[in-house]
C-alpha cells in the first residue's frame, strides 16, 4: 500500500494527513461521457491548473470516450494497462482522474497501477488543506476530508486480518477498519459541533450588521476570476491575490464607500469550480451562508477565458445549491484588458438578462461604472428621503453619510438639507425631519 495512504486515524498522525500531500509527478486522466457539459480537454486544462496549484508536475494526459463508466475501473481494461505502462515510462508517483471515483474504483485502480490514485475531489481537498489559514477554514477542510475518507477506509486496511481478541473478550476482535471508522465518526461529530458554534457566531455577526444598516455585497465567481484583485481595488485593501486556482480560501470582509458616501461591506469567499465536491459545499456551509444572505452579489467573470459561459453556468449552479439563487446579481466582466481589440464576449441564458459592467480589476478601468451599478441596485431596497436636519443634530447627518446614499446635500437656514436614500432600518430617526412639499394651488 502506498505510503501516502497510511491510516488518517493512526495515533501518530493527524486526521488530515491522508490528503496532506500530492504526488510530485502525475498523469492526468480524462473521461468523455455522454451529456458532459465540459469538453474533456478543457476540463483537463483546469485539472492541470489544479495540479500545478497543489505542486504537481503533469507528465502527460490520457483520455477515453465511454458510453458508460466501467463499474470496477471506470476505464476499459486496455486503457488501464496503457496508463500503467505510461506511469512506468514517465516514472510517475501518482495518477489524477478528472472525475470523482467510487471507493471500489479507487481501490482497484491503485492495485492495477501500482501508484497512489487521486480523483478531482481529493486534489481539491489537498489544495484546500494547503491554503486554509484560519481556524474555521481548517475545521471546514478537515470535516470535508473525513466525509471523503469514510467510505474509502477499506482500501487502506484491506491488507490487515482481524485483530486477535483478548481472553476476556472471547472473540476475534474488530477489524482495524471498524476501529478507524468509529474514530473518524467521533472526529466528525466533534468537528460538526465546533462548526455549529462558528455558524452561530457568524449568524450573530450578520444580525449585528443588519442592525447597523451597512449593506453586504458579496463577490462570487469561478476560482481565479479576479475576485480578490477586485476586492483590493474597491476597498483599497491588500488581500492576497495570485494567478492560481483557490488563491484565496478563507473569507474576507472589507469596508468600502460609494460615491454618495454610503458605507458598505464587501465579502470575498472561496471561488467555485465545476463539479464542486458536495462534501466541500456541506463543510463550508457557514462560510457560504454569507453569500446566501448578502444584499447583493457581484458575479465576477473572467471575460478572457475561452469557455467563459461554462464557468458562468457552473457558478449559477452552485449558487442555487447553497440557496443564493434568488439574490440580486450584477455581472462584472473582468480581465477585459486581456481581450484582443476589446472584443467583449456575449453572455447567454440567465446571465444575459442581468446588469453587466466591464472592468479590469488589475488596471482599475470600469471601477467607477461598477460602483455606480452597485449603488443603483442597492437603491431599490432603500427608502427615498428628502430631509432638513437641524444644525444641532449633526449625529443624524453623520448617520446619513455613513449608511445612506446622498444624491444632493446643501445648507439652508434651518439646517442641512439631504436628499437621497437610506436603509429602512435606519430611516426612523429621519422621518420627523422630512421636507413637506408645498401643494400648488
Amino acid at each position: 500500500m502506498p505510503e501516502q495512504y497510511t491510516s488518517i486515524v493512526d495515533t501518530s498522525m493527524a486526521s488530515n494527513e491522508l490528503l496532506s500531500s500530492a504526488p510530485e509527478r502525475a498523469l492526468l486522466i480524462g473521461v468523455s461521457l455522454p451529456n458532459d457539459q465540459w469538453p474533456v480537454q478543457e476540463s483537463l486544462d483546469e485539472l492541470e491548473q489544479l495540479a500545478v496549484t497543489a505542486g504537481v508536475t503533469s507528465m502527460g494526459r490520457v483520455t477515453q470516450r465511454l458510453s458508460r463508466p466501467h463499474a470496477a475501473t471506470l476505464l476499459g481494461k486496455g486503457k488501464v494497462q496503457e496508463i500503467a505502462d505510461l506511469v512506468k515510462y514517465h516514472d510517475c508517483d501518482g495518477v489524477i482522474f478528472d472525475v470523482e471515483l467510487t471507493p471500489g474504483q479507487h481501490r482497484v485502480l491503485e492495485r492495477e497501477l501500482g501508484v497512489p490514485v487521486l480523483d478531482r475531489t481529493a486534489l481539491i481537498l489537498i489544495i484546500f488543506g494547503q491554503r486554509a489559514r484560519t481556524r474555521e477554514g481548517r475545521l471546514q477542510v478537515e470535516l470535508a476530508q473525513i466525509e471523503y475518507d469514510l467510505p474509502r477506509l477499506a482500501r487502506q486496511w484491506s491488507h490487515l486480518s482481524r485483530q486477535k481478541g483478548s481472553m476476556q473478550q472471547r472473540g476475534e476482535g474488530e477489524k482495524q477498519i471498524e476501529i478507524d471508522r468509529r474514530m473518524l465518526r467521533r472526529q466528525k461529530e466533534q468537528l460538526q459541533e465546533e462548526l455549529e458554534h462558528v455558524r452561530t457566531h457568524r449568524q450573530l455577526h450578520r444580525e449585528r450588521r443588519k442592525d447597523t444598516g451597512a449593506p453586504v455585497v458579496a463577490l462570487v465567481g469561478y476560482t481565479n476570476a479576479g475576485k480578490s484583485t477586485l476586492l483590493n481595488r474597491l476597498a483599497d485593501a491588500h488581500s492576497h491575490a495570485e494567478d492560481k486556482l483557490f488563491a484565496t480560501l478563507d473569507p474576507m470582509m472589507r469596508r468600502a464607500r460609494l460615491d454618495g458616501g454610503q458605507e458598505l461591506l464587501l465579502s470575498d469567499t472561496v471561488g467555485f469550480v465545476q463539479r464542486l465536491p458536495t462534501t466541500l459545499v456541506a463543510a463550508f456551509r457557514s462560510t457560504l451562508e454569507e453569500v446566501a444572505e448578502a444584499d447583493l452579489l457581484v458575479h465576477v467573470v473572467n471575460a478572457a477565458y475561452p469557455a467563459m459561459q461554462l464557468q458562468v453556468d457552473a457558478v449559477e449552479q452552485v449558487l442555487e445549491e447553497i440557496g443564493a439563487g434568488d439574490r440580486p446579481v450584477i455581472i462584472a466582466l473582468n480581465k477585459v484588458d486581456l481581450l484582443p481589440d476589446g472584443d467583449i464576449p456575449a453572455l447567454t441564458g440567465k446571465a444575459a438578462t442581468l446588469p453587466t459592467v466591464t472592468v479590469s480589476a488589475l488596471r482599475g478601468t470600469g471601477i467607477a461604472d461598477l460602483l455606480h451599478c452597485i449603488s443603483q441596485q442597492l437603491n431599490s431596497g432603500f427608502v427615498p428621503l428628502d430631509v432638513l436636519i437641524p444644525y444641532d443634530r449633526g449625529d443624524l447627518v453623520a448617520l446619513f453619510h455613513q449608511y445612506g446614499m446622498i444624491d444632493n446635500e446643501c445648507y439652508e437656514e434651518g439646517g442641512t438639507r439631504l436628499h437621497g436614500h437610506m436603509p429602512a432600518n435606519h430611516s426612523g430617526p429621519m422621518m420627523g425631519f422630512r421636507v413637506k412639499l408645498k401643494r400648488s394651488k
Side-chain angles (χ1 to χ4, degrees):
M1 188 59 58
E3 183 179 352
Q4 288 91 330
Y5 292 111
T6 305
S7 170
I8 63 175
V9 290
D10 189 298
T11 55
S12 63
M13 301 183 71
S15 64
N16 64 353
E17 285 195 18
L18 175 69
L19 296 173
S20 63
S21 61
E24 294 181 2
R25 299 155 59 87
L27 286 178
L28 308 183
I29 314 300
V31 178
S32 179
L33 293 167
N35 302 321
D36 278 350
Q37 293 182 336
W38 285 65
V40 64
Q41 291 300 335
E42 289 183 6
S43 190
L44 279 173
D45 287 342
E46 181 175 282
L47 185 70
E48 185 167 355
Q49 285 184 283
L50 289 167
V52 169
T53 301
V56 181
T57 300
S58 170
M59 303 307 297
R61 300 179 176 188
V62 178
T63 63
Q64 185 173 35
R65 184 181 297 275
L66 296 172
S67 58
R68 60 183 177 84
H70 292 257
T73 56
L74 178 69
L75 308 172
K77 185 176 180 181
K79 188 63 68 172
V80 172
Q81 185 58 52
E82 177 188 337
I83 294 170
D85 293 340
L86 287 171
V87 165
K88 293 179 181 177
Y89 178 79
H90 291 292
D91 191 25
C92 296
D93 59 343
V95 174
I96 304 175
F97 282 77
D98 193 28
V99 293
E100 183 169 332
L101 300 171
T102 67
Q105 289 169 345
H106 220 148
R107 184 167 58 252
V108 174
L109 284 168
E110 283 196 338
R111 184 177 68 237
E112 295 293 326
L113 300 177
V115 293
V117 171
L118 298 178
D119 59 15
R120 184 184 181 88
T121 299
L123 184 60
I124 292 174
L125 287 172
I126 286 173
I127 296 169
F128 275 44
Q130 292 171 344
R131 293 182 173 267
R133 295 291 179 266
T134 65
R135 178 173 173 273
E136 178 187 1
R138 290 193 293 269
L139 287 173
Q140 291 174 130
V141 172
E142 190 171 352
L143 177 60
Q145 288 177 339
I146 288 176
E147 292 277 12
Y148 177 82
D149 294 331
L150 266 170
R152 291 169 173 79
L153 284 175
R155 87 178 198 276
Q156 300 166 54
W157 290 110
S158 57
H159 62 294
L160 293 184
S161 60
R162 279 186 175 271
Q163 295 177 321
K164 298 295 182 182
S166 66
M167 291 296 292
Q168 290 81 5
Q169 291 173 317
R170 293 185 181 182
E172 290 182 309
E174 296 176 298
K175 290 181 180 178
Q176 182 65 47
I177 185 176
E178 293 168 350
I179 297 174
D180 283 5
R181 195 172 279 133
R182 281 204 311 272
M183 293 179 69
L184 272 183
R185 284 172 178 157
R186 283 199 296 268
Q187 287 181 332
K188 177 181 173 181
E189 291 172 359
Q190 291 171 356
L191 288 169
Q192 287 175 327
E193 185 177 339
E194 289 187 67
L195 282 171
E196 190 59 34
H197 288 309
V198 172
R199 182 171 178 264
T200 302
H201 187 65
R202 277 191 174 277
Q203 184 61 36
L204 289 173
H205 272 287
R206 281 194 291 269
E207 290 173 0
R208 287 173 189 160
R209 287 201 299 266
K210 289 177 182 178
D211 290 339
T212 64
V216 176
V217 177
L219 305 181
V220 300
Y222 212 80
T223 182
N224 205 31
K227 299 186 305 300
S228 296
T229 304
L230 184 59
L231 176 73
N232 290 338
R233 181 67 65 175
L234 292 173
D236 193 24
H238 303 284
S239 62
H240 179 69
E242 189 178 358
D243 188 19
K244 282 187 178 180
L245 304 189
F246 300 118
T248 302
L249 176 58
D250 297 307
M252 289 177 291
M253 191 77 73
R254 298 289 185 269
R255 294 184 181 274
R257 287 190 180 276
L258 299 173
D259 288 340
Q262 186 210 4
E263 184 178 76
L264 57 84
L265 296 173
L266 290 170
S267 173
D268 181 20
T269 59
V270 60
F272 303 146
V273 292
Q274 58 150 329
R275 302 196 296 271
L276 187 68
T278 54
T279 51
L280 278 176
V281 174
F284 277 72
R285 181 183 62 158
S286 63
T287 299
L288 295 175
E289 280 177 351
E290 295 284 353
V291 176
E293 297 195 19
D295 297 289
L296 176 66
L297 305 182
V298 176
H299 181 174
V300 185
V301 177
N302 180 358
Y305 186 71
M308 177 189 74
Q309 188 62 44
L310 290 176
Q311 292 189 344
V312 171
D313 294 341
V315 171
E316 290 178 348
Q317 181 179 346
V318 176
L319 290 176
E320 288 289 342
E321 289 176 7
I322 64 176
D326 61 344
R327 296 286 84 192
V329 179
I330 293 172
I331 299 288
L333 290 176
N334 191 27
K335 303 189 181 182
V336 293
D337 53 302
L338 301 179
L339 293 172
D341 304 322
D343 187 16
I344 308 297
L347 293 164
T348 60
K350 176 183 176 182
T353 67
L354 300 173
T356 302
V357 182
T358 58
V359 301
S360 170
L362 185 63
R363 297 191 176 182
T365 56
I367 298 301
D369 294 335
L370 178 59
L371 287 170
H372 179 69
C373 189
I374 291 173
S375 178
Q376 284 185 319
Q377 293 302 309
L378 290 176
N379 259 342
S380 61
F382 280 42
V383 176
L385 287 176
D386 184 5
V387 294
L388 183 64
I389 307 296
Y391 287 118
D392 62 352
R393 293 303 308 271
D395 58 315
L396 294 182
V397 175
L399 189 70
F400 209 134
H401 273 277
Q402 185 174 6
Y403 300 122
M405 289 182 284
I406 299 173
D407 298 324
N408 185 51
E409 179 177 6
C410 61
Y411 302 98
E412 300 183 358
E413 183 178 349
T416 305
R417 180 80 173 266
L418 296 166
H419 184 270
H421 296 76
M422 193 80 170
N425 61 334
H426 265 293
S427 62
M430 306 287 177
M431 291 304 180
F433 302 100
R434 285 181 297 174
V435 174
K436 297 180 180 179
L437 299 177
K438 296 181 180 179
R439 296 180 178 179
S440 58
K441 294 182 180 181

